[in-house]
Amino acid sequence: MTLVVSLLVAALVLVAGTAAVTAMLLGGGTTGTSASSPTPDQPSPTPTGNRQQWSQAWLKGTEQAWTLEPPGTGTTSTIVRLTDDKLIRTTRQKEKGSVLVTVFRLGQGKPEQLWEEKITSTAPGTTIWNGKIIIGNNVIDINSRERSTALWGAEADTYAATGVGVTACSGTSCALWTSLTEKKWEATIPVSKQAYINTGSRVGRYVLAGGRADKDPNFSVNIDTGEVKKMEGSQSQNSPHALVDGWVIYDKNGNISIYKSDGTTREKFTTDTSRNFTTYPWSPNRFTIDQTLAWLKNGDTSWAPGTYSVSTTDPTCQSITVAGKDINLGKDNEITKKADGKCSAEFATHAFQLSEKGQISSYLNYEGDKKFLLLIDMTTGES
């Protein structure tokens, strides 16, 4: 299986299970523009905008540029992060509490390894912020390799965002730090054991918080004041989806909860999951609360910049039709289904999967035990 991570001049493919990283350049060796989806460590700089953007040049094909081999045996997981001209690979080791950090310089040809260091920490995740690598309270300057210790807890769960700061949670106590020494506020997130504040999931001046246990509730946190508001009736196992002006939570049973940006309940209802429909709304940007209600409650797509539908010509029911062109999403896709011998859409809430990413959308296409990143121009149907 493969996981795709993109950067400004190439696409990086992290091969799960091997920790090998492969760079894909545009066909002919030219470069294109793309930006990675926001992650807990590198959230979108425009939190109310598109989650991911690809240029049309990527639809013309790619070629393999180089491959970084895995760091060896004893690896349990690998995370790749990109900042400026550096590629940062953090590898969790089978040896408990051991994290191998490797920094490469990107340029022409295969990346040049600058340095590698082993960190002792059981803190979850790796945060890149202001030119520094943060694991728990271990801080390493990417360029100088200088090490320091942050003032928060050694095993803190950290997230960071440009222009916001670093959130660090030790147990249920969380704080926002605007620098490694300046704490803006501290708040309690009332969950069962370990809390987090994800600055990458953001609506205006509010960010998402929750706990690591499935039944822990979700919260909205004001990044200016630290005020915490519980999203009533929510559980962390169903993570809120960020809208322009609020949040939506949904489950496979059709239960829908809409919240304002500050976490106040706007509306709750149940949609008919057995309803057969064939057309989804599409937007290059996030949906608003009103648009989400129009679609999920009434099946209204009149507000949408575009639509796409389940193909009427594919007997396998694996394809969608965009601008008159059929695109196969693979056997195990979550957008189409075959029921009672007919093709129809899967769930109304899956409209978010091809929206909010700009004109060029992306979808992980399954083929056996492999995944392929499928790029679709949602205005022309080119893929």
Side-chain angles (χ1 to χ4, degrees), residues 164-241:
V164 177
V166 175
T167 58
C169 295
S170 296
T172 60
S173 178
C174 298
L176 174 65
W177 297 77
T178 54
S179 73
L180 295 177
T181 58
E182 297 292 328
K183 181 167 59 175
K184 185 173 184 178
W185 50 255
E186 188 169 358
T188 297
I189 309 297
V191 295
S192 58
K193 189 175 182 180
Q194 178 61 50
Y196 67 86
I197 297 178
N198 183 359
T199 53
S201 186
R202 180 176 164 191
V203 176
R205 305 306 293 171
Y206 296 89
V207 292
L208 176 66
R212 296 303 180 188
D214 285 347
K215 294 189 180 300
D216 284 336
N218 296 293
F219 302 85
S220 179
V221 180
N222 186 308
I223 59 176
D224 295 320
T225 66
E227 181 183 0
V228 178
K229 188 171 186 61
K230 178 181 176 181
M231 296 183 188
E232 294 295 340
S234 68
Q235 293 184 342
S236 288
Q237 62 184 339
N238 293 320
S239 183
H241 181 87

Side-chain angles (χ1 to χ4, degrees), residues 362-382:
S362 59
Y363 191 79
L364 283 177
N365 191 17
Y366 292 80
E367 185 176 302
D369 62 347
K370 295 182 179 180
K371 289 181 182 178
F372 298 92
L373 185 70
L374 180 64
L375 299 180
I376 307 170
D377 187 322
M378 299 299 291
T379 63
T380 67
E382 184 180 1

Side-chain angles (χ1 to χ4, degrees), residues 129-181:
W129 184 62
N130 285 358
K132 293 178 173 54
I133 302 167
I134 301 173
I135 303 174
N137 67 351
N138 295 279
V139 181
I140 310 177
D141 187 281
I142 294 171
N143 294 313
S144 69
R145 198 178 174 179
E146 180 183 354
R147 292 189 60 171
S148 58
T149 302
L151 296 180
W152 51 80
E155 308 306 322
D157 197 348
T158 59
Y159 288 77
T162 301
V164 177
V166 175
T167 58
C169 295
S170 296
T172 60
S173 178
C174 298
L176 174 65
W177 297 77
T178 54
S179 73
L180 295 177
T181 58

